[in-house]
Amino acid sequence: MPSFTLPEVVAAVQKAAQAWGIERLAVELGMRPSSLYNALNPRADRSVVKLGLEQAMQIMEITGDTTALELMAARLGLVTRELDSRVPDRATTPEELMDDMTEQGRLAAMMRDGAPMEDVERQAQALIDEIHQTVTRYRMDLEAGKIR
């Protein structure tokens, strides 16, 4: 498991805030820009100033940048994914199953060809997302009486 430090998480929130605009973000958070700058400084004395979890969450919600959350998840051995990844993108269960096979074939080819682990993990997650879509589509079809 990669080792991420808290300063890297703070730096990820800082980058998101800077891209959005610190002064504009400070107004939305109801704080002074100087206070936000201090909270986002990854080299700040953490015994004096800290980026709070609520602040970090608000910044991620406002900016839409979840890199900090992804770093924290990785540190815990987890991955993040969007909730709508379970929404079927095909009209029938058999069509969803075909998507599963396509993604599984891509994963197998990547492993056969010695692709970098990061790429293999990304493809594995795509396959998992496709399988979730298939199960959701099956449930929908079953409940609609399309499958006996």
Side-chain angles (χ1 to χ4, degrees):
M1 173 171 53
S3 176
F4 295 104
T5 61
L6 186 58
E8 288 171 316
V9 172
V10 175
V13 176
Q14 179 187 44
K15 183 177 177 184
Q18 287 173 337
W20 184 261
I22 299 278
E23 303 216 358
R24 181 171 79 158
L25 188 58
V27 170
E28 292 192 46
L29 293 171
M31 59 192 307
R32 294 177 305 159
S34 61
S35 297
L36 184 55
Y37 276 113
N38 287 334
L40 293 172
N41 182 351
R43 289 172 281 293
D45 180 356
R46 292 287 160 222
S47 65
V48 177
V49 62
K50 294 181 183 178
L51 175 66
L53 184 57
E54 288 178 2
Q55 287 175 320
M57 182 67 184
Q58 287 176 320
I59 291 169
M60 287 186 281
E61 287 177 331
I62 292 168
T63 66
D65 185 330
T66 58
T67 303
L69 178 63
E70 292 163 16
L71 289 168
M72 289 185 283
R75 183 170 179 164
L76 296 169
L78 305 169
V79 295
T80 62
R81 67 178 168 80
E82 294 182 26
L83 288 176
D84 67 358
S85 68
R86 291 181 182 229
V87 176
D89 57 357
R90 300 289 181 223
T92 68
T93 299
E95 290 173 328
E96 282 293 347
L97 286 166
M98 291 303 296
D99 281 355
D100 297 351
M101 301 259 220
T102 300
E103 296 300 330
Q104 187 174 7
R106 286 185 183 136
L107 179 62
M110 291 173 81
M111 290 177 164
R112 177 197 65 218
D113 297 341
M117 192 62 202
E118 180 178 291
D119 294 344
V120 169
E121 288 174 345
R122 188 176 307 114
Q123 182 58 34
Q125 188 59 53
L127 174 57
I128 291 166
D129 291 345
E130 283 297 336
I131 292 169
H132 282 291
Q133 289 178 23
T134 301
V135 171
T136 300
R137 171 53 62 201
Y138 178 77
R139 181 181 303 110
M140 292 166 68
D141 289 351
L142 194 62
E143 290 171 357
K146 295 179 182 177
I147 297 175
R148 294 186 263 149

